Amino acid sequence: MSEVVRRVRLSGGWTRPRGGSRTSNTAPRPWGVALVPVALLGLFFLYPLALVVRQSFQPATAYADVFSSELFRTALWTTVWIAVVSTLGCMLLGFVLALIIAFVPFPGARTVARFIDVYLSFPSFLITLALLFIYGSTGIVGSFQFLATPWGVLLAEVTYFTPFVMRPLLAAFSQLDTAQLEAASSLGARAPRIIRQVILPEALPALAAGGSLVLVLCLNEFGIVLFTGAKGVTTLPMLVYSKAILESDYPGACVVAVVNVLISVGLYGLYRVVSRRVGA
């Protein structure tokens, strides 16, 4: 019997620890466990992206043709400035609203804070549809055709993406030591000074993380621009849609898509760096 046990142990089988339960000495190999998710990732995500990249080089002059196009340069500039201005608007409005919810006592403050979590699950076209009832051609102030302008796109994006900034800010404000606020107030500091010297330094990491995330989302926003029907507003996602669906120019659409993906990945890397530094 002892010989059998010795052979089982040498062959990597089970051993009986002091507790009496059997445990296996054979640990699963990491590459074997990761093989299935890596294969699924390659099949459903990397392979389609590889097809897009390959199509962007057919013909070989596709990149040169797109980069020399005035429409592409205009779309790139429009995408960047709308994303940057929308992000700045979201950061400013989100900071003010988060301050009010966190530090100004009013009935229903907790309900409003919880509603923000629900609001994050809303699709972007739903917010744009609601704005159409006010600023659309048949809306309350539709005669101004405001929503069909770049400023209408900015309004829709700021309205939709501001809660993405408010959520991390509210989390940061909930961890703020109220003793600092009380000490500053007892020393005669007014609200603007308290906000500038006490609250803002604590909120900057969360504000930067939320702002960088919103910048990535605004850069890739398609539904808002399409749903507003803004004339003369052509962003990179809209240009991909136009070339692929309306013009059947698939190589050109793939070139624009590759550029959009590269910019998005770069900004997402920035977001991850900021989030890691603030512990988000």
Side-chain angles (χ1 to χ4, degrees):
M1 181 65 181
S2 60
E3 181 66 20
V4 174
V5 173
R6 186 180 67 83
R7 290 182 179 180
V8 170
R9 289 179 176 176
L10 291 177
S11 62
W14 58 267
T15 59
R16 187 187 300 273
R18 293 183 180 180
S21 61
R22 297 182 180 182
T23 59
S24 174
N25 289 337
T26 306
R29 297 182 180 181
W31 62 267
V33 176
L35 183 60
V36 174
V38 169
L40 293 176
L41 178 65
L43 178 62
F44 291 103
F45 295 97
L46 299 182
Y47 178 67
L49 288 177
L51 292 179
V52 171
V53 174
R54 187 184 68 176
Q55 185 68 28
S56 67
F57 288 97
Q58 298 177 0
T61 60
Y63 278 88
D65 295 340
V66 171
F67 289 167
S68 62
S69 171
E70 181 67 25
L71 182 60
F72 170 78
R73 292 194 294 267
T74 302
L76 179 60
W77 166 245
T78 302
T79 303
V80 171
W81 82 261
I82 286 182
V84 171
V85 175
S86 297
T87 301
L88 293 177
C90 290
M91 293 174 67
L92 178 60
L93 182 60
F95 181 73
V96 173
L97 294 179
L99 276 178
I100 295 174
I101 295 175
F103 299 109
V104 179
F106 64 92
R110 287 188 176 182
T111 303
V112 174
R114 291 176 181 175
F115 175 75
I116 293 174
D117 294 333
V118 179
Y119 186 92
L120 297 178
S121 64
F122 289 175
S124 60
F125 72 85
L126 180 62
I127 305 303
T128 311
L129 178 62
L131 292 177
L132 284 173
F133 288 104
I134 302 176
Y135 302 103
S137 58
T138 59
I140 300 175
V141 291
S143 57
F144 295 100
Q145 295 292 316
F146 176 76
L147 204 61
T149 65
W151 303 108
V153 176
L154 286 175
L155 173 64
E157 291 195 353
V158 170
T159 303
Y160 178 69
F161 289 114
T162 294
F164 288 83
V165 176
M166 295 176 62
R167 183 65 269 174
L169 281 175
L170 289 174
F173 290 159
S174 66
Q175 299 177 0
L176 185 64
D177 187 7
T178 56
Q180 300 180 17
L181 305 179
E182 295 173 356
S185 179
S186 63
L187 292 174
R190 301 191 174 216
R193 187 175 181 182
I194 294 176
I195 293 174
R196 185 176 65 255
Q197 296 185 355
V198 180
I199 298 178
L200 184 58
E202 297 293 332
L204 279 179
L207 189 63
S212 57
L213 175 61
V214 168
L215 182 62
V216 176
L217 296 175
C218 289
L219 184 77
N220 296 288
E221 181 55 40
F222 172 74
I224 288 179
V225 183
L226 179 66
F227 220 77
T228 55
K231 299 178 181 179
V233 179
T234 302
T235 59
L236 291 180
M238 284 294 297
L239 187 58
V240 173
Y241 170 80
S242 176
K243 284 186 172 294
I245 305 301
L246 303 180
E247 302 174 16
S248 297
D249 181 10
Y250 295 107
C254 291
V255 170
V256 180
V258 169
V259 173
N260 200 5
V261 168
L262 291 177
I263 298 175
S264 301
V265 171
L267 290 177
Y268 179 74
L270 174 64
Y271 163 70
R272 292 300 302 167
V273 169
V274 174
S275 298
R276 192 180 299 112
R277 289 186 177 181
V278 302

